[in-house]
């Protein structure tokens, strides 16, 4: 209702996007030049007019998929000017050693960028695009999938906005997704058993050109460089359970003492750590999986609204940007219901794969290195001996636009190959000369090839 107590109906944009975050802005930039007027509805105030952030992580990572979208949209150069290239991550181990791991074998970097500054660039670009209108302070109360239309509440009351297509880009707790769930879609929204605090790390003590992390097995601290030379840190700890956990801190145990016991090196690097731990909010991590992303020819979900994931591979935003690119590619190929169906089919398996890999990567990073198993050593040797055939999983995710699902399947095939090689030849193969290992490794000529005749001795 408006101020006079009557319904108000707005004009009809071609597309309404619920949520003007990073993915919503990118989606608008892709759609408007192709499909006509787009209205972005954002429940928050304009972040460019607000001091500070909005409670989201300070830094996000850009890899090949994200850069593809930014290049398509003509903003890559503007974004690159506010990024820090990172070529490696450095693990600071409990025994005092450090371990450096390049992100790519050829020295390729991933790029750290402040979420707030990236968001501002994308909003500015969207506003400068003919046909895009951004409306802040607009809370979507309900979505009508059939008309389609959205019921919106703002400071003037409620109004109904009709359109041809609605896209939900409104995050893990999506109001848009609720309409799809009401039609039978099954969504799993769960809070992970990990929580985090954002911690400011001063410049001067850590190399500002690489990612740093401190694994303890029970908790992890990670720090990503900012253009200023300072670093944006995150403390990850269990939400519940015995110490070290945030539940233990709520129960009376001293959080700074817990931190000092876990990360003694960091207490010297961050002089005000006790004050920050007391003041900084504890945030939870939410994962979302949805079995339906589209409704006929009128509705689709993108980004965290359908695949929120743990942040540890740095691909949530990149995957969301890729959603937008694939969506317009599918609509270009087949408009209407067929295009949206093709988008859903293309993206759901990939989103499941990168969500699994992202959660799994936390345990890879959080646990201090131990003596490698025979399987791990053999995997490493195969990757070195056949660099074009066995590309490290992280490298393929970060530096290619290959399907996440195909990357995961290939990694699982490598696991099976390693298990088969050890079963046939024993653990002595781990230390065998390169020539023998090459001879024992079957060529990938057929998916039905076995090791019954390995051709080596």
């Amino acid at each position: 209702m408006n101020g006079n107590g009557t319904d108000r109906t707005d004009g009809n944009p071609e597309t309404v996007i619920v949520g003007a975050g990073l993915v919503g802005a990118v989606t608008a930039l892709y759609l408007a030049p192709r499909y006509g007027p787009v209205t972005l509805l954002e429940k928050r105030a304009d972040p460019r007019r607000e001091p500070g952030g909005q409670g989201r992580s300070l830094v996000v990572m850009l890899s090949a998929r994200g850069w593809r979208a930014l290049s398509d949209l003509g903003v890559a150069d503007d974004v690159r000017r506010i990024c820090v290239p990172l070529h490696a991550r450095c693990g600071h181990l409990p025994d005092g050693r450090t371990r450096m791991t390049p992100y790519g074998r050829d020295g390729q970097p991933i790029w750290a960028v402040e979420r707030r500054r990236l968001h501002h660039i994308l909003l500015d670009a969207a506003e400068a695009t003919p046909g895009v209108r951004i409306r802040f302070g607009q809370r979507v109360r309900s979505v009508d999938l059939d008309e389609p239309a959205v019921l919106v509440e703002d400071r003037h009351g409620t109004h109904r906005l009709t359109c041809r297509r609605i896209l939900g880009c409104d995050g893990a707790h999506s109001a848009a997704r609720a309409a799809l769930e009401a039609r039978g879609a099954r969504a799993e929204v769960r809070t992970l058993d990990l929580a985090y605090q954002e911690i400011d790390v001063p410049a001067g003590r850590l190399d500002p050109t690489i990612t740093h992390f401190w694994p303890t097995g029970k908790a992890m601290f990670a720090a990503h460089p900012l253009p200023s030379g300072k670093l944006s840190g995150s403390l990850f700890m269990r939400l519940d359970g015995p110490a070290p956990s945030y539940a233990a801190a709520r129960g009376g145990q001293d959080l700074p003492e817990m931190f000092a016991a876990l990360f003694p090196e960091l207490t010297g690097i961050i002089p005000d750590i006790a004050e920050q731990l007391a003041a900084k909010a504890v945030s939870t991590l939410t994962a979302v999986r949805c079995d339906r992303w589209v409704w006929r020819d009128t509705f689709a979900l993108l980004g965290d609204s359908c695949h929120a994931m743990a942040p540890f591979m740095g691909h949530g935003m990149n995957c969301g940007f890729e959603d937008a690119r694939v969506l317009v590619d599918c609509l270009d190929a087949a408009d209407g219901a067929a295009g949206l169906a093709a988008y859903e089919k293309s993206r759901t398996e990939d989103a499941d794969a990168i969500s699994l890999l992202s959660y799994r990567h936390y345990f890879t990073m959080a646990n201090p290195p131990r003596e490698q198993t025979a399987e791990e050593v053999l995997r490493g040797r195969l990757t070195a001996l056949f660099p074009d055939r066995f590309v490290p999983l992280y490298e393929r995710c970060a530096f290619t636009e290959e399907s996440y699902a195909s990357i995961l399947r290939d990694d699982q095939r490598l696991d099976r190959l390693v298990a088969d090689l050890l079963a046939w030849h024993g653990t002595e193969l781990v230390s065998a000369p390169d020539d023998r290992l090459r001879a024992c490794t079957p060529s990938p000529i057929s998916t039905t090839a076995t090791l019954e005749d390995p051709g080596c001795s």
Side-chain angles (χ1 to χ4, degrees):
M1 306 292 286
N2 66 15
N4 296 321
T6 58
D7 290 333
R8 186 174 95 239
T9 302
D10 289 338
N12 295 14
E14 185 76 5
T15 304
V16 165
I17 298 176
V18 183
L22 299 174
V23 173
V26 162
T27 304
L29 284 163
Y30 266 119
L31 258 72
R34 288 172 165 87
Y35 296 106
V38 173
T39 294
L40 279 155
L41 301 175
E42 173 56 53
K43 66 183 178 181
R44 299 182 178 91
D46 187 338
R48 295 166 297 179
R49 313 285 183 264
E50 296 287 317
Q54 295 183 356
R56 302 298 303 276
S57 60
L58 294 176
V59 173
V60 289
M61 297 296 155
L62 273 165
S63 53
R65 298 163 207 270
W67 284 116
R68 164 70 183 277
L70 298 177
S71 296
D72 286 350
L73 301 173
V75 296
D77 289 344
D78 289 339
V79 173
R80 201 174 297 273
R81 282 192 284 268
I82 63 168
C83 287
V84 178
L86 305 174
H87 294 269
R89 59 178 177 265
C90 178
H92 299 255
L93 308 183
D95 62 5
R97 293 179 298 132
T98 58
R99 174 173 291 186
M100 194 78 71
T101 305
Y103 284 119
R105 292 171 299 175
D106 297 327
Q108 311 99 307
I110 61 172
W111 300 76
V113 59
E114 291 178 75
R115 176 190 289 271
R116 175 183 59 83
R117 297 179 71 187
L118 173 60
H119 195 194
H120 292 186
I121 288 173
L122 294 174
L123 290 175
D124 288 345
E127 280 191 339
T129 300
V132 176
R133 181 185 183 195
I134 309 175
R135 293 168 53 181
F136 297 96
Q138 306 287 309
R139 183 177 293 275
V140 171
R141 288 302 186 186
S142 64
V143 172
D144 181 338
L145 297 179
D146 295 318
E147 187 170 359
V150 292
L151 185 67
V152 185
E153 179 183 357
D154 61 19
R155 61 189 180 89
H156 300 295
T158 59
H159 57 279
R160 187 175 179 84
L161 180 60
T162 60
C163 57
R164 181 185 174 192
R165 182 184 296 117
I166 299 168
L167 302 177
C169 300
D170 52 337
H173 303 288
S174 169
R177 188 182 63 239
L180 200 58
E181 292 180 70
R183 298 297 180 94
R186 294 187 298 273
E188 180 187 5
V189 182
R190 59 192 179 96
T191 300
L192 301 180
D193 186 30
L194 287 169
Y196 69 97
Q197 286 177 284
E198 297 281 0
I199 302 295
D200 300 325
V201 181
R205 295 289 299 274
L206 296 171
D207 184 340
T209 66
I210 58 176
T211 298
H212 299 264
F213 69 103
W214 287 258
T216 71
K218 298 178 179 179
M220 182 179 73
F221 191 91
H224 301 291
L226 300 171
S228 65
K230 296 180 180 179
L231 295 92
S232 172
S234 298
L235 167 63
F236 294 97
M237 232 171 22
R238 288 194 308 270
L239 187 61
D240 298 309
S245 70
Y246 285 107
R250 291 194 304 272
Q253 295 199 36
D254 189 81
L255 184 55
E257 285 185 7
M258 261 192 273
F259 186 93
L262 290 164
F263 309 108
E265 179 186 4
L266 285 168
T267 59
I269 293 172
I270 312 172
D272 63 343
I273 185 62
E275 291 80 4
Q276 289 200 56
L277 290 170
K280 295 294 183 72
V282 176
S283 301
T284 56
L285 296 171
T286 302
V288 172
R289 184 182 186 277
C290 192
D291 70 342
R292 291 285 307 281
W293 291 21
V294 306
W295 178 260
R296 298 176 182 169
D297 65 343
T298 62
F299 179 86
L301 296 171
L302 299 89
D304 283 356
S305 65
C306 47
H307 57 64
M309 64 191 72
F312 304 108
M313 285 283 285
H315 276 264
M317 177 188 71
N318 293 278
C319 186
F321 287 3
E322 192 172 55
D323 289 345
R325 181 183 64 78
V326 172
L327 175 66
V328 296
D329 286 348
C330 290
L331 291 174
D332 287 348
D335 200 4
L340 293 188
Y343 160 72
E344 180 184 69
K345 182 177 181 181
S346 171
R347 296 304 291 160
T348 49
E349 188 181 12
D350 275 354
D352 287 345
I354 190 58
S355 295
L356 171 65
L357 292 172
S358 295
Y359 186 62
R360 197 171 79 183
H361 195 58
Y362 171 76
F363 299 97
T364 299
M365 291 185 65
N367 289 292
R370 45 167 175 62
E371 185 176 352
Q372 288 188 306
T373 65
E375 289 81 2
E376 290 167 338
V377 174
L378 189 53
R379 272 182 65 109
R381 290 198 63 197
L382 289 172
T383 300
L385 285 173
F386 302 94
D388 295 327
R389 181 177 170 189
F390 304 119
V391 180
L393 182 148
Y394 187 96
E395 188 173 315
R396 288 180 68 186
C397 287
F399 304 120
T400 78
E401 296 174 37
E402 296 177 62
S403 158
Y404 289 122
S406 68
I407 292 170
L408 178 59
R409 284 193 293 270
D410 287 349
D411 193 64
Q412 291 166 339
R413 289 191 190 102
L414 179 55
D415 279 341
R416 290 193 294 271
L417 173 61
V418 167
D420 287 344
L421 286 171
L422 291 173
W424 278 97
H425 303 289
T427 56
E428 65 271 13
L429 190 63
V430 171
S431 55
D434 288 352
D435 288 347
R436 179 166 182 252
L437 182 52
R438 285 194 185 95
C440 290
T441 303
S443 62
I445 56 174
S446 169
T447 57
T448 58
T450 69
L451 297 181
E452 292 179 4
D453 182 18
C456 66
S457 58

